[in-house]
Amino acid sequence: MNDIKLLKGRIDPWKELIVQAEDMETLYELGIEEQDQSVEVELKELYDKAKAEFDHQSILTLLSDEVDKNDCFLSVHAGAGGTEACDWTFMLSRMYQRWAERHGYKLEVLSQEEAEGGLKSINMRISGPYVYGYTKGEAGVHRLVRISPFDANARRHTSFASVYVFPVLDDSIEVNIDQKDLRIDTYRSGGKGGQHVNKTESAVRFTHIPTGIVVACDSERSQLMNRATAMSILRSRLYEYYKEQKEKENSKFAGEKKDISFGSQIRSYVFQPYTMVKDHRTKYSVGNIQGVMDGDIDGFLDSFLSVKWNGTPVSDDDDDFGDDE
């Protein structure tokens, strides 16, 4: 039933676009017949709306991988920058939460590690149709350039955070995990103190010894539920890990065919001395940084999918995002 619902969601918008095109054609012919130039304004509005929907639906056709339709696990980790980086991690996590709200997706925080100024790390699950397909291009290093509110001298600082995105796997995709390859640790999850302190070791951490992948979950009071969630995350991480290893092997025989490569940073967010957000892979940029931080990132998601589909490698050698610290 879920597959039928997804397919219906892909077909119905195209049917609606056909109806809109027929309506515009009728309106155009009516305007010509009656020599009514006021129709031009209405036609322009209808066309712009239909064009935006057509572009969006065209992007959806690019989501053809077996896991593109799935939910995703998305995590953000603070990098270089100390307190500033922890604040940046919190800002990025809020950006993705706002994006999920805009689209009516369900978001659940699975675990987070608080730090001075913000978050050291946060792990989330975002649920909705084609969430992983949309967000997979967000994986990489995100850079912030701004005048730090933590600097008494009001100097401009640069800080970094890493974003990781993994698909939530269903039962149709097999990932074999040998129990002897796992180290399982339990601990008390954080609380607000007093009666809210967790007195049992309900939080779970899995370490996959062959790959070194570590996952954790502390969002539930039940250790069994946290174990199930952590295992789901681990399966997703291993799926991406083995897929990446296979792609590296295949790339040896790929000849001149190239794809978008993830460098040390994929996007820069500049607050001072001007405002701009720029993706270094696609060169897509916007000046409304407040809108981006409020979750308006669809332009970046669509441009990544479009460039990846076209197979055009994008480089960004001339980096004009200077910083003082």
Side-chain angles (χ1 to χ4, degrees), residues 253-290:
F253 310 98
E256 292 300 316
K257 185 177 180 181
K258 297 180 181 179
D259 199 349
I260 297 175
S261 60
F262 296 90
S264 60
Q265 63 196 39
I266 64 167
R267 193 176 303 151
S268 290
Y269 305 71
V270 181
F271 282 75
Q272 280 98 13
Y274 51 87
T275 59
M276 184 168 73
V277 183
K278 181 178 180 181
D279 194 297
H280 300 291
R281 304 160 300 176
T282 65
K283 296 191 177 180
Y284 179 84
S285 63
V286 297
N288 182 14
I289 194 168
Q290 294 301 331

Side-chain angles (χ1 to χ4, degrees), residues 33 123 139 293:
E33 181 180 336
N123 298 291
M293 300 314 301

